[in-house]
Amino acid sequence: MSRGICPRVNSCGSFWILSAVIFAASSLIDVDAYSCHEVKTAFQLRQVGPLHRVPETPGTDVDLLVCKHQGPSCCTRKMEESYTFAVRRETLHNIHSYSYELEHLLSGHSDAFQDMFQYLLSFSQGHLSSMLEGTYTSVSRHALPHVNQLFSSLSLYLRGANVSVEATVHQFFNNLFPLVYTKLINPGIDGSMMMGNEMGDCLRMIRQDVNPFGPHPAVMAQELAGALGAGRQLGLALEEGLEVMNATEHVSLSKECVKGLVKMVYCSHCSGYTLIKPCVGYCLNIMRGCLASVSELDQPWRRYTSLLEQLTHTMAGHHSLELALLGVGGHVNEALLYAQLHGPLITATVDKVCGLTTGEPTSMQPTSSEVTTSTVTSSSPRPSAASSEPLPEQWPRQLAHMRREFLLYLQRYKSFFAALPEMLCEGDNVVDDSHCWSGDSVVESYSGRVVGNGLHAQRRNPEVKVRSPNPTLADVKERLERFNQETQERFPKLGQMEAWEELGSGETEEGSSTDCDDEDGCQASGDSQSQTSHTEAPSEGKPIARKPGGDSARENPSRPPSVKVIGGSPSANWARPWSLALLFAALCLQWTLF
């Protein structure tokens, strides 16, 4: 009997044992299917935090603050803290990666423009020193410190220092007057007596009243102030742009923003969806909410880039900086000639004011020159050949290339602050097709309202609450608007000059320009390689810088010489009689035909 029961008992035991094994195996398979292995892998690859914070299996009683959802979760409170630090770091890094090129553009061209400015100053200083040494040997050695001081002050001005160009130029001529009076106008006077403190101070003090150099100091000061002013403002504008970019990169993200970023980037991991990407519309709402204060910089930034373009056109497009600096030697030469030709009148005035009894001056009259009351003709002695060495050809070409490259890149960043949220939601960061993350679950498409840029639009943002503007960025916006206003007030014709330049320059969007390079093969027919073409700026109403050593004896001394215009204003061409004749003939022909 016992034997009959025993087999039945063994059969029952085998059945229960087999059932237990199958249940255990199914339990292991089920646990493996819901493990947190992929979450731990992603946690490690993205360097979010210590791996021990990731559980091996999902938990059901996790008290989460951000990534709340029904069902088991692979996240813990410690993981949420790690996600918070990681997403803030990643977002700021992404912002920096997009702004790096713009920052490098501003910084690189700021250094390049300053280097070019300093080279032009150095070249002009050498040109003036050579002219004095070759033509006015008796003055050159004593005038050298004053020449150095003049260009040192101009260099500081271009770098943004609080220096007056007009005061610097007049101070240079004040210091030059005692030398000219004793070495050129009255070379027989004892120089040691005249160069004493009392006599020298008297000559310097009365220089502007006596006006021994005629209109040339004032004209030189006006040209330098206009041309160097645009270059100085361009340098200040580039520095202002760098400060704006620096403040943007180090902006602090609000708690609401970071919470939304964690929910968008990492909360899907808690459910095991480590490869799912956020929906595009959802990402835009998050980023536009986080960067609402940054987007407020859009309008002043657009105005800033427009002014930057206009300043670049004014400084480099018209070649006004090169012309003004290269014209310094010519203005000084004309001033010294004027003083020699008006030596008797100057001596009489100085003798009355300073009490210097010098007798009849032995003025050095230039040969074959016509003396007028205010102007020295171009047939007067000119600087030596060494002092009239032209500016190396590669520098005008390099300046033109630098300008075109800078303006071409600048066009891409006019809407940088408005486009930044879209740039952060492009590429592999989001997915635009079905099955994307909406912040709570995987959906086929984002159904929420997608808001626009700016603080006002965030009132209807369903994802991020923007309570107040960022105070740091508000100050940056105010400072940028103030800089734009000051620039516009200082250069009120910037907009008009840009419009005129667009009509006459012939530039295209591809960056081609009428700035003529030798390798472009665009040299006008009939022009020799030794000729130099300058561009007038009639809208400025300022005198045109003249090239020292040029021959204009047949021209009216009261008018600036006619110059060839390359791609600029057509006024010089219309001034020619044959051009007027052709225009009149064309009008007559049109009237006859119609």
Side-chain angles (χ1 to χ4, degrees):
M1 185 172 179
S2 60
R3 289 182 179 179
I5 297 176
C6 286
R8 191 181 281 183
V9 172
N10 292 337
S11 299
C12 292
S14 300
F15 172 78
W16 289 111
I17 292 173
L18 181 61
S19 299
V21 171
I22 294 174
F23 177 78
S26 63
S27 298
L28 290 175
I29 294 174
D30 185 64
V31 169
D32 185 68
Y34 289 97
S35 69
C36 298
H37 175 72
E38 293 184 0
V39 178
K40 179 176 290 188
T41 301
F43 200 85
Q44 182 180 14
L45 291 177
R46 302 185 70 162
Q47 299 180 354
V48 177
L51 282 180
H52 65 82
R53 294 187 175 183
V54 184
E56 296 294 335
T57 58
T60 57
D61 56 348
V62 181
D63 185 17
L64 300 177
L65 298 178
V66 181
C67 301
K68 299 178 180 180
H69 65 280
Q70 296 180 352
S73 176
C74 285
C75 292
T76 62
R77 291 281 294 273
K78 288 294 185 181
M79 289 177 63
E80 279 190 334
E81 294 178 3
S82 298
Y83 284 149
T84 299
F85 288 107
V87 78
R88 181 185 285 109
R89 181 188 68 237
E90 293 169 359
T91 302
L92 293 177
H93 174 75
N94 291 336
I95 293 175
H96 177 72
S97 65
Y98 282 107
S99 62
Y100 172 78
E101 185 177 356
L102 175 56
E103 184 178 1
H104 179 71
L105 171 70
L106 297 175
S107 176
H109 281 82
S110 176
D111 295 338
F113 279 125
Q114 286 296 335
D115 290 342
M116 192 271 300
F117 294 161
Q118 299 308 314
Y119 176 84
L120 289 175
L121 285 170
S122 176
F123 187 89
S124 180
Q125 181 177 357
H127 182 273
L128 176 58
S129 299
S130 298
M131 184 273 293
L132 293 175
E133 183 179 355
T135 308
Y136 305 98
T137 307
S138 60
V139 176
S140 61
R141 183 172 63 88
H142 299 284
L144 183 60
H146 307 309
V147 173
N148 294 338
Q149 181 61 39
L150 169 66
F151 285 94
S152 176
S153 298
L154 295 180
S155 176
L156 292 174
Y157 176 78
L158 279 172
R159 293 182 181 276
N162 187 19
V163 177
S164 171
V165 175
E166 292 85 353
T168 298
V169 172
H170 287 295
Q171 182 65 30
F172 167 74
F173 282 101
N174 289 344
N175 294 327
L176 199 62
F177 182 39
L179 297 175
V180 172
Y181 189 81
T182 58
K183 303 295 183 180
L184 297 181
I185 298 178
N186 296 285
I189 298 179
D190 185 5
S192 60
M193 177 193 73
M194 292 298 302
M195 295 306 294
N197 291 334
E198 184 177 351
M199 298 304 177
D201 291 343
C202 180
L203 291 174
R204 295 185 188 94
M205 184 174 58
I206 68 172
R207 197 273 307 173
Q208 296 191 43
D209 296 327
V210 175
N211 195 23
F213 301 118
H216 303 291
V219 173
M220 175 177 162
Q222 182 182 9
E223 291 184 4
L224 287 177
L228 271 64
R232 179 179 187 268
Q233 198 68 17
L234 176 62
L236 294 176
L238 292 171
E239 292 180 2
E240 182 69 21
L242 287 173
E243 292 182 4
V244 172
M245 298 307 302
N246 183 64
T248 304
E249 290 179 1
H250 296 86
V251 64
S252 59
L253 303 177
S254 65
K255 293 182 179 180
E256 291 291 335
C257 166
V258 175
K259 181 179 178 181
L261 290 171
V262 171
K263 193 174 180 181
M264 179 183 73
V265 178
Y266 287 113
C267 281
S268 59
H269 293 199
C270 299
S271 300
Y273 302 119
T274 57
L275 300 179
I276 201 71
K277 300 293 183 181
C279 302
V280 175
Y282 174 53
C283 178
L284 288 175
N285 279 339
I286 295 293
M287 291 303 178
R288 285 173 177 170
C290 289
L291 302 177
S293 295
V294 175
S295 299
E296 289 293 312
L297 295 172
D298 178 58
Q299 290 302 320
W301 180 260
R302 288 176 185 268
R303 181 57 184 155
Y304 162 80
T305 55
S306 178
L307 290 174
L308 203 57
E309 289 180 356
Q310 296 165 21
L311 286 170
T312 306
H313 277 299
T314 303
M315 185 275 302
H318 294 205
H319 304 285
S320 58
L321 187 64
E322 301 106 301
L323 294 177
L325 288 176
L326 293 179
V328 169
H331 285 303
V332 174
N333 180 54
E334 295 288 345
L336 297 183
L337 291 174
Y338 184 96
Q340 293 180 84
L341 294 175
H342 294 80
L345 179 61
I346 296 172
T347 301
T349 306
V350 169
D351 186 53
K352 292 179 181 179
V353 177
C354 294
L356 304 176
T357 304
T358 60
E360 196 69 23
T362 57
S363 176
M364 298 175 60
Q365 298 292 340
T367 59
S368 303
S369 62
E370 298 178 9
V371 181
T372 63
T373 58
S374 60
T375 304
V376 180
T377 61
S378 299
S379 60
S380 302
R382 295 292 175 179
S384 62
S387 65
S388 59
E389 179 185 357
L391 187 69
E393 295 181 359
Q394 68 271 18
W395 278 93
R397 291 201 306 269
Q398 182 175 352
L399 178 59
H401 174 73
M402 189 190 310
R403 177 180 69 94
R404 290 194 297 267
E405 180 188 48
F406 177 66
L407 295 179
L408 182 63
Y409 276 102
L410 193 62
Q411 290 289 334
R412 298 167 51 185
Y413 293 100
K414 276 193 170 183
S415 59
F416 173 77
F417 291 105
L420 185 57
E422 285 83 350
M423 291 189 290
L424 294 172
C425 292
E426 290 178 350
D428 297 334
N429 297 326
V430 296
V431 60
D432 199 14
D433 55 6
S434 58
H435 299 94
C436 57
W437 180 252
S438 66
D440 297 318
S441 61
V442 178
V443 296
E444 293 185 359
S445 63
Y446 182 68
S447 58
R449 176 190 180 95
V450 180
V451 299
N453 287 314
L455 290 169
H456 181 74
Q458 305 314 308
R459 297 177 181 179
R460 299 183 179 180
N461 194 325
E463 307 298 341
V464 179
K465 294 181 180 180
V466 181
R467 305 185 184 279
S468 60
N470 186 292
T472 301
L473 293 179
D475 292 340
V476 172
K477 178 184 178 182
E478 182 180 356
R479 187 173 68 244
L480 186 59
E481 290 175 339
R482 184 167 59 252
F483 179 84
N484 293 340
Q485 182 179 359
E486 292 174 353
T487 302
Q488 190 64 59
E489 291 176 353
R490 184 168 185 179
F491 300 91
K493 296 182 179 181
L494 276 181
Q496 301 174 14
M497 292 167 58
E498 183 187 39
W500 180 257
E501 186 72 16
E502 289 177 356
L503 290 175
S505 65
E507 292 189 18
T508 61
E509 292 181 359
E510 289 77 13
S512 63
S513 172
T514 53
D515 290 330
C516 199
D517 296 349
D518 291 345
E519 61 268 19
D520 295 337
C522 56
Q523 186 175 3
S525 60
D527 292 342
S528 63
Q529 293 182 357
S530 61
Q531 288 178 332
T532 303
S533 298
H534 293 162
T535 303
E536 287 184 312
S539 61
E540 286 295 326
K542 296 178 181 178
I544 301 174
R546 291 164 293 180
K547 180 180 177 181
D551 185 13
S552 57
R554 293 181 297 273
E555 298 176 359
N556 187 353
S558 63
R559 295 176 55 192
S562 298
V563 293
K564 177 177 173 59
V565 178
I566 298 179
S569 169
S571 59
N573 292 332
W574 289 120
R576 298 177 180 179
W578 59 267
S579 298
L580 292 173
L582 289 177
L583 177 61
F584 181 77
L587 292 175
C588 291
L589 179 61
Q590 183 178 7
W591 178 265
T592 304
L593 293 177
F594 293 97

